[in-house]
Amino acid sequence: DAGVTQSPTHLIKTRGQQVTLRCSPKSGHDTVSWYQQALGQGPQFIFQYYEEEERQRGNFPDRFSGHQFPNYSSELNVNALLLGDSALYLCASSLAAYYEQYFGPGTRLTVT
Amino acid sequence: QKEVEQDPGPLSVPEGAIVSLNCTYSNSAFQYFMWYRQYSRKGPELLMYTYSSGNKEDGRFTAQVDKSSKYISLFIRDSQPSDSATYLCAMSANAGGTSYGKLTFGQGTILTVHP
């Protein structure tokens, strides 16, 4: 049973560019949440998708957007990248009715 | 003030020691409490999950929740070098609250267990 998978593993972008990160949830899960983890900090909630809609959003600007597909996989898009967007981006999946979230390995984004 | 406070450590203990990790929180709506373990450059791994107040034990790990004090703990017995990692507490509120589905994390405590 495959767990949560994310791609790519690492990414280097230049300020002002746009990036798309991808996530496939754990088998049987229908809810995907995205988190940003800066070095030495706990993950910060970006948003959550359920039934292809954004159900809840954290305190992140509109430059951060997402999408969920009918097969429950998800994308995170970040426009107009800033140096401060450099972080580990984590995807977590869960069943809508339960609170246990299972994380993928993350995508490490470096903005230069 | 952060909603969840966690001492970042670092914490260094000898193999076999009992480790105590703690978090405090301010949001009384939190009802679901989790502990994650994160190895360097990896995603967090769910260790323990508890609802409301009380204790839960799983092998060498025991999670405690005291909602009256807004305080949660994770105890690791007979600690091993393989337990060396960052431990993150996380919390979520009930359905219907503004925090539904959202995990709020502590900063993480770095633990090193030396042989």
Side-chain angles (χ1 to χ4, degrees):
Chain A
D1 176 26
V4 180
T5 59
Q6 292 186 244
S7 63
T9 305
H10 297 92
L11 208 51
I12 300 175
K13 290 287 188 177
T14 304
R15 274 180 303 175
Q17 285 188 318
Q18 178 264 344
V19 68
T20 297
L21 310 181
R22 296 177 175 83
C23 171
S24 291
K26 187 178 168 65
S27 179
H29 285 182
D30 56 8
T31 301
V32 172
S33 303
W34 287 92
Y35 294 81
Q36 180 195 65
Q37 186 177 25
L39 200 60
Q41 301 296 319
Q44 298 290 315
F45 176 79
I46 302 175
F47 42 53
Q48 184 181 81
Y49 277 85
Y50 170 68
E51 291 188 342
E52 301 180 49
E53 289 192 0
E54 184 182 290
R55 179 161 72 175
Q56 190 170 184
R57 188 178 184 91
N59 189 24
F60 278 80
D62 291 344
R63 298 186 298 110
F64 290 76
S65 63
H67 188 78
Q68 186 179 35
F69 299 94
N71 67 352
Y72 307 120
S73 67
S74 177
E75 288 182 350
L76 164 66
N77 301 291
V78 187
N79 294 321
L81 284 166
L82 303 174
L83 294 179
D85 294 332
S86 295
L88 181 67
Y89 287 86
L90 295 162
C91 168
S93 75
S94 58
L95 271 174
Y98 299 93
Y99 291 84
E100 297 134 282
Q101 294 187 16
Y102 296 85
F103 283 82
T107 293
R108 185 161 298 281
L109 172 64
T110 302
V111 182
T112 62
Chain B
Q1 182 188 3
K2 291 183 178 179
E3 280 189 292
V4 181
E5 298 279 358
Q6 183 175 7
D7 186 342
L11 188 60
S12 182
V13 301
E15 183 174 356
I18 296 174
V19 176
S20 173
L21 304 166
N22 311 294
C23 287
T24 59
Y25 63 95
S26 57
N27 187 348
S28 58
F30 288 144
Q31 296 281 352
Y32 299 85
F33 304 92
M34 287 137 276
W35 286 95
Y36 286 85
R37 177 174 64 193
Q38 186 174 27
Y39 292 113
S40 182
R41 298 186 171 272
K42 301 290 186 184
E45 171 193 2
L46 181 62
L47 281 177
M48 299 289 283
Y49 167 78
T50 53
Y51 169 70
S52 196
S53 286
N55 295 355
K56 184 175 182 178
E57 187 173 321
D58 184 3
R60 296 186 295 112
F61 299 91
T62 299
Q64 288 186 351
V65 175
D66 181 350
K67 290 193 66 185
S68 62
S69 301
K70 296 188 176 67
Y71 187 89
I72 71 170
S73 300
L74 178 70
F75 297 95
I76 307 174
R77 292 182 298 280
D78 187 26
S79 57
Q80 302 295 310
S82 58
D83 294 328
S84 298
T86 297
Y87 289 79
L88 296 155
C89 64
M91 308 177 188
S92 185
N94 263 336
T98 57
S99 299
Y100 176 65
K102 162 190 171 183
L103 293 183
T104 301
F105 284 83
Q107 181 179 353
T109 299
I110 300 171
L111 171 68
T112 301
V113 181
H114 50 87

